[in-house]
Each structure stands twice: as structure tokens, then as C-alpha cells.
Amino acid sequence: MNARDDRLRIGIACWPTYGGSGVLATELAIALADEGHEVHLLSYEAPIRLPEFRGNLFYHRVGVPEYPLFKYPPYALALATRMAEVAEQHRLDLIHAHYAIPHSVSAILARDMVGRHLKVITTLHGTDITIVGNDSSYSRITRYSIDRADGVTAVSAWLAEETRRTFGTTREIVEIPNFVDLDRFSARPCAQAQALKRGDEPLLMHVSNFRRVKRVTELVEAFAAVVATDPARLVMVGDGPELGRAERLASELGVADRIHFLGSQDAVEKILPCADLFLLPSRFESFGLAALEAMACGVPVLASRAGGLPELVEEGETGGLFDLEVPGDLATKLRAMLRQPERLAAMGHEARRRAEERYALPRVLPRYVDLYRSVMDQPAG
């Protein structure tokens, strides 16, 4: 193990796609590298937010050979093998696994291969607990990965409690919220993005992976109801299985000319500051990273009262919350907020202040490093 004043050697395993767990893991890897630690990212392809080069940040591809006997390639086993190889070659102190299945399980296998001096931290992000982990096919192995890790974190108090309730575990789960880079996400839109504005019409925005849980079709329906009486425009950023349905519904409801579908965007921070209000009507969010990024850009948020969102969005202060169980509540709350433009602007300023006060990278990063140090001080066994 490195001396306390030396840099840490950290492996980070994550999904490489646009989901919040992969984004957070990659941003954490970058921040740790900028602090001088040596970081090794492991995934089946390079994460989307991975920079082109940093001297002490490395990416290791996990390859899964195709073999006729395997109907489904055993990614978890290939990942565990790659983790063990990287841990031995680069003398890693710990592996930080983002998302319980398969990353945490693979990290525990790698630890068993390499030796107990290699520590495992698991960060729970949400659907790895509420959907994947709660499935009967994965429930027991998810519980095993939680109990066998050297340290466990969750991105919200709600998720930590939901994990304890779902799996009946009594182990300590440290709450460490998501963070945001306040230099990258600010109130400065690019000139091209400002062209999205149309006079004084409020500009609404939604960013997601367009999965069913994001309720993008319900958002289109609510928007159509609102613009029947109040002019506004909606920008929808992202791609996913519900995109086609949302586009067709916009056309059927006669609002296609008021909705801009921009597809996936790597530099969403250049677009967000143009919005007057960010919309996140998800059926479930363990935290709501997209909402935090909007808040950092000085944009208030209207979100569903679900999961960990009420911990992030404060009613009447940084935005508003609507009830999923109340029909039409999204449209009602949206219309009311749009009719108070001065209040909307004030909430945007408060949203930025809260992001600075609670979720800035320099405030959150030391909590991870302190956890790493604490876990490494635990005796092997």
C-alpha cells in the first residue's frame, strides 16, 4: 500500500455510455487524476467523457472473446480477469466499481485472485438496486456484492435507505452525492445554442437517454397541453428507445414545430444555459445528475417527486416538484411556473448557488478520497 502522502493507484470500472453512473465515474476519474492520483478506467469501450490524454489517467479495454459454446459472452468474468491483470501490473490500491452488477461482483472476484490487500469500493447509482438488483435473477448476487465490498456508497440518502430496505442489509452505506464541474457547467451558452431562442418565448429543456423511465412521451403530452394557452418551446436532447415515439406523438398533437429534437450531444453544457426551465419527469431517479447540471447553469428544475429528486430540487427555491400520481399535475405546475418569469429567474440564481454550496467538485471529491484512505487502513482479511 502507498504511504499516506503518496498518490493513490485506483481502478475505476463503469459503463461507458451516457447514463449517469458512467458519466459520474468518468468525471471522478478525471478529477482524481487532476489531483495527482494514478487512475485506470476499465470498460468494454472508452467512456464518452474520457479526455484524449492525461498523463496519469489510463483506459483499459475489456475484451470478451466469442466462443460458440457461450450463447451470451461472459462479460463479468472477462472484466474480473482484466481487473486482476491491471491490479497486478500497476499495483493498484483499490478498485472503485460503479454499478453493482457486474462491476462490483467482478471487482470482488479480482480481489480474490490478486489478494485481500486490493480493496473494493462499490458505488450504487439507482437502477442497479431498484431494477437490476431487485430482479430475482440478480437479487442474491447483488446482496452478496454489497456485503462483500470493503466500502459502499450511494448517491442519495433515498437510495441508501432503499438499498437497506430491498436487501435487508445492515452494513454501512456512505452517502456521497453526485457532483458537478462548475467551470464547465455555467451560465455561458455558446453562440450557436442561443439561436434556439425565439424572441421572448420561454425555452424548456430535457436531457436524457430516452428510456421509458424518463417519461418523455408524457412530457410531450404535458407540453402540448401547456402551449395550447401559453407560448413556449421545448428542446429535447438525447437518444434512446422512446425517441421515435416522442417524435411521432409531437406530430400527432400538432406541436412538432415547437419541439426541437437535437439527438445526443457531447457538449450539453453549451446548450443548457439557454433554457429558462429544465424538465425531468422521470418515474424514478436516484439522484438526477442532469438536473444538477442544469442547476449549475443557473436553470431552475421542474421534476417529479420521485426517488432522490426531492433531495436535490427544493420546491419554490430551486424549482418545483409535481406528483406522478396526480393526473395533469406536470402541465399544471409547468404552466404556473411559466407565468412567473421573474420568480423563475430568481430560482435559477438560487439553483446555481445551491450547486456551488453543496455539489461543487472540490466539496465532494475529498469525501471519496477520505473513504479510500479509510478503507485502505482496514486490515486485510
Side-chain angles (χ1 to χ4, degrees):
M1 187 175 87
N2 297 328
R4 179 167 294 277
D5 293 333
D6 289 346
R7 66 180 180 177
L8 297 171
R9 298 185 179 93
I10 305 162
I12 291 183
C14 67
W15 299 116
T17 50
Y18 281 91
S21 67
V23 169
L24 174 72
T26 308
E27 297 288 356
L28 177 61
I30 295 169
L32 289 166
D34 286 345
E35 289 287 308
H37 303 291
E38 182 180 314
V39 185
H40 298 261
L41 273 165
L42 299 105
S43 191
Y44 59 82
E45 63 184 33
I48 57 169
R49 289 197 180 179
L50 183 66
E52 292 184 1
F53 176 77
R54 266 176 172 75
N56 53 335
L57 176 58
F58 307 91
Y59 162 64
H60 304 272
R61 179 178 175 273
V62 180
V64 183
E66 294 186 4
Y67 183 63
L69 184 62
F70 297 140
K71 182 176 181 180
Y72 305 106
Y75 179 69
L77 301 182
L79 175 60
T81 301
R82 193 74 171 115
M83 285 176 170
E85 292 172 350
V86 172
E88 290 178 331
Q89 292 171 4
H90 298 278
R91 295 180 295 132
L92 297 187
D93 297 307
L94 61 94
I95 294 177
H96 189 168
H98 290 261
Y99 215 83
I101 303 294
H103 302 124
S104 181
V105 175
S106 296
I108 291 167
L109 286 173
R111 182 188 64 193
D112 289 346
M113 285 188 277
V114 171
R116 294 288 298 187
H117 61 275
L118 178 68
K119 302 298 184 179
V120 173
I121 302 286
T122 296
T123 289
L124 309 174
H125 286 270
T127 52
D128 51 346
I129 296 302
T130 61
I131 297 177
V132 178
N134 207 16
D135 187 285
S136 60
S137 299
Y138 298 109
S139 178
R140 189 167 181 176
I141 193 68
T142 300
R143 165 70 187 265
Y144 178 83
S145 73
I146 292 169
D147 288 342
R148 295 283 290 174
D150 298 292
V152 180
T153 79
V155 296
S156 66
W158 176 88
L159 181 59
E161 182 55 35
E162 186 70 7
T163 301
R164 297 186 191 99
R165 186 194 65 80
T166 301
F167 297 99
T169 181
T170 58
R171 75 153 304 149
E172 180 184 14
I173 300 175
V174 180
E175 179 202 341
I176 302 181
N178 288 342
F179 57 82
V180 65
D181 184 340
L182 292 169
D183 291 329
R184 178 177 180 182
F185 290 89
S186 68
R188 300 184 299 272
C190 70
Q192 293 88 340
Q194 287 177 314
L196 295 168
K197 301 284 281 186
R198 296 289 191 277
D200 294 329
E201 288 186 340
L203 185 66
L204 316 177
M205 196 168 295
H206 171 80
V207 180
S208 77
N209 53 18
F210 282 68
R211 289 184 294 132
R212 185 69 191 93
V213 71
K214 303 298 182 180
R215 302 178 74 247
V216 292
T217 54
E218 288 86 347
L219 175 55
V220 171
E221 290 174 345
F223 175 76
V226 168
V227 296
T229 57
D230 297 72
R233 291 187 175 273
L234 173 62
V235 173
M236 301 189 75
V237 181
D239 197 356
E242 292 291 297
L243 175 59
R245 288 186 61 201
E247 290 175 326
R248 289 191 297 273
L249 183 59
S251 180
E252 292 168 5
L253 296 176
V255 293
D257 62 330
R258 290 190 165 273
I259 302 181
H260 307 275
F261 292 93
L262 300 188
S264 297
Q265 298 289 327
D266 291 333
V268 69
E269 69 275 10
K270 297 180 180 179
I271 304 170
L272 277 171
C274 297
D276 297 294
L277 181 62
F278 187 83
L279 305 174
L280 195 60
S282 305
R283 184 166 303 282
F284 160 82
E285 290 284 349
S286 60
F287 178 87
L289 181 59
L292 174 58
E293 291 175 344
M295 289 170 58
C297 292
V299 180
V301 176
L302 176 58
S304 51
R305 198 183 303 273
L309 284 171
E311 298 176 39
L312 176 65
V313 181
E314 188 170 344
E315 178 79 58
E317 298 293 327
T318 61
L321 297 165
F322 73 93
D323 292 315
L324 289 166
E325 296 79 13
V326 179
D329 199 40
L330 172 55
T332 299
K333 293 285 178 64
L334 175 55
R335 185 179 289 109
M337 293 180 75
L338 291 180
R339 290 179 178 179
Q340 302 180 69
E342 293 183 0
R343 181 68 182 138
L344 208 60
M347 287 192 290
H349 290 301
E350 179 63 14
R352 171 69 185 189
R353 191 189 73 79
R354 295 289 178 90
E356 294 173 342
E357 181 182 81
R358 300 179 184 178
Y359 304 106
L361 177 59
R363 293 187 179 276
V364 178
L365 183 63
R367 297 171 66 177
Y368 276 114
V369 176
D370 287 346
L371 178 62
Y372 295 161
R373 298 288 189 192
S374 173
V375 165
M376 288 167 55
D377 285 340
Q378 298 174 6

